[in-house]
Amino acid sequence: MKIHIIKSPELSPELFTKTVELLSAVQGAISFSFNKDSVLNFDEDEILEHTFDDVEAFEKSLYHVPCYSPSENDITFPHTHPQATWTTLFAKCASYRQQQRIPDDEFVILLTDMANDKNWFASLDEHMPYNGFIHTDGWSHYIDCPAQFPIAYEVIALLLQKYMFSGMYDLRTSVHKTPVGCVNDMCIKKREIILKLRTADICRSCMDRIKDVVPAPVIHHALQIMESLRVKMLYAQNFRQDSPLSTLMITQHHKLLLPEFGHIEIKLRPLEKALYYLFLDHPEGIFLSSLSDYRQDLYSIYSRLSNMGMLQEMKGRIDDMTNALNNSASEKISRIKRVFEEALGHELAKNYYICGQVGEVKKIGLPREKMIDQRKAVVEKSK
Ligand SMILES: [Zn+2]
């Protein structure tokens, strides 16, 4: 089973990448293909300006649909926003399918910030149910959770819906109007999707609908992805801040993983990772002002990490970073902190990132017995 995920140009590459990372974190029977260069422009005549005169007209347009997007609170009337028709959105999927010669039984899902004429959050094409779109804009207004979580979840929900329902009529009449904690709960409000994300489940009657039409490994993989979203979301939302610390694992291929936190992966850029490794190697801490004393160490860490660029260029980057006169190291430390906080929540993250007041020694507080370093095992074995 294959899902091709494509984007329209207004969607930020960062959000696209984060969604991709969540979906591909768990391996299994569903395979994903992501094309960030699949930029599908909207022509001028494909964009409609839709105006709601007052709140009543606005709400009336929303109540009969499973999921809607615009906020009730921060809109002033008359309210106008650009939108595209469903026909336009599905035509984008169809033309991409044709262009790339994608078989009829593989999904093409368009992620787009463009609103749609029916105000749905996500839908499949009734006439070609392997095409679908997900509206990616505006999540931050509704839920206290990064947008990539509901978007990734909805990719899986669309896949399951394809097999659960025989058409739009079936879908409209069969979704759970009273939430039961199932992938098919109707979300009257965007924020209600959080409930589904927290249960990460398919109820018995919905499972009965798919168990004979979808291969078991696909159902299993879908549930595993939903479960991994659920766990990661809890940390990202600052829940579970009093959890016992997870070990920090550095794999042979230099992935930073937190196995006891649902295998969350911490993604750092090569230079940031080199700096982070240096601090891991020095539990006693390092003053930023003396970072240039560690240049040789950094050269060797970085050269093992990165096969990009020439030696001289690489040294140049390290020299820049260790130059006490510029801000480069501080900026990298701030970004490392942000990456950990986004993944783990503020409290828990403190144990893993590089801490220390301005002018004081900086260090990583994590007790080093909580570290599993598979790089060393490989080096020792090869000796
Ligand atoms: Zn259900």
Side-chain angles (χ1 to χ4, degrees), residues 164 174 176 180-185 201-207:
M164 262 179 225
S174 306
H176 307 301
V180 297
C182 169
V183 66
N184 283 321
D185 285 353
D201 208 0
I202 305 174
C203 80
R204 171 69 50 173
S205 75
C206 290
M207 190 62 93

Side-chain angles (χ1 to χ4, degrees), residues 250-256 265 273 277 305 374-375 378:
I250 305 177
T251 71
Q252 290 177 31
H253 304 291
H254 296 284
K255 279 190 175 185
L256 282 171
E265 182 179 353
K273 204 174 261 185
Y277 284 1
L305 270 177
Q374 296 181 332
R375 295 171 303 167
V378 174

Side-chain angles (χ1 to χ4, degrees), residues 126-325:
E126 189 162 19
H127 306 292
M128 174 39 176
Y130 287 94
N131 289 340
F133 73 84
I134 297 172
H135 182 213
T136 46
D137 189 31
W139 278 99
S140 56
H141 298 297
Y142 309 99
I143 52 173
D144 175 25
C145 162
Q148 61 267 28
F149 287 96
I151 295 168
Y153 180 89
E154 206 60 25
V155 171
I156 302 301
L158 287 181
L159 166 103
L160 295 170
Q161 279 172 5
K162 152 72 188 73
Y163 297 100
M164 262 179 225
F165 305 113
S166 54
M168 289 315 263
Y169 178 79
D170 188 22
L171 185 149
R172 274 174 220 246
T173 48
S174 306
V175 290
H176 307 301
K177 289 173 186 82
T178 311
V180 297
C182 169
V183 66
N184 283 321
D185 285 353
M186 175 161 101
C187 304
I188 295 287
K189 297 186 176 165
K190 213 166 185 173
R191 67 176 69 94
E192 288 176 357
I193 198 170
I194 275 286
L195 300 175
K196 300 202 271 190
L197 272 155
R198 286 208 184 120
T199 58
D201 208 0
I202 305 174
C203 80
R204 171 69 50 173
S205 75
C206 290
M207 190 62 93
D208 284 343
R209 281 169 170 261
I210 54 169
K211 70 175 195 292
D212 296 327
V213 279
V214 183
V218 172
I219 298 177
H220 181 66
H221 192 202
L223 283 168
Q224 276 187 315
I225 294 174
M226 284 156 61
E227 173 63 13
S228 94
L229 293 175
R230 184 185 75 81
V231 173
K232 288 175 182 169
M233 191 186 75
L234 287 176
Y235 290 106
Q237 283 188 298
N238 273 312
F239 292 120
R240 297 202 173 172
Q241 294 301 294
D242 51 358
S243 304
L245 296 186
S246 167
T247 40
L248 174 73
M249 180 190 279
I250 305 177
T251 71
Q252 290 177 31
H253 304 291
H254 296 284
K255 279 190 175 185
L256 282 171
L257 297 177
L258 297 155
E260 290 92 325
F261 295 162
H263 278 87
I264 290 175
E265 182 179 353
I266 302 296
K267 297 250 183 181
L268 300 177
R269 298 168 184 147
L271 259 182
E272 295 159 358
K273 204 174 261 185
L275 189 63
Y276 189 71
Y277 284 1
L278 178 74
F279 277 90
L280 280 177
D281 288 342
H282 291 275
E284 76 286 0
I286 296 172
F287 283 97
L288 279 194
S289 53
S290 58
L291 199 56
S292 56
D293 300 344
Y294 299 88
R295 258 180 218 166
Q296 288 303 332
D297 296 333
L298 282 166
Y299 290 154
S300 79
I301 298 172
Y302 189 52
S303 64
R304 269 178 270 138
L305 270 177
S306 168
N307 43 18
M308 297 180 298
M310 307 301 286
L311 189 67
Q312 220 34 50
E313 195 185 331
M314 193 191 79
K315 285 190 167 174
R317 289 199 201 117
I318 300 283
D319 292 349
D320 260 0
M321 186 169 73
T322 53
N323 181 349
L325 296 177

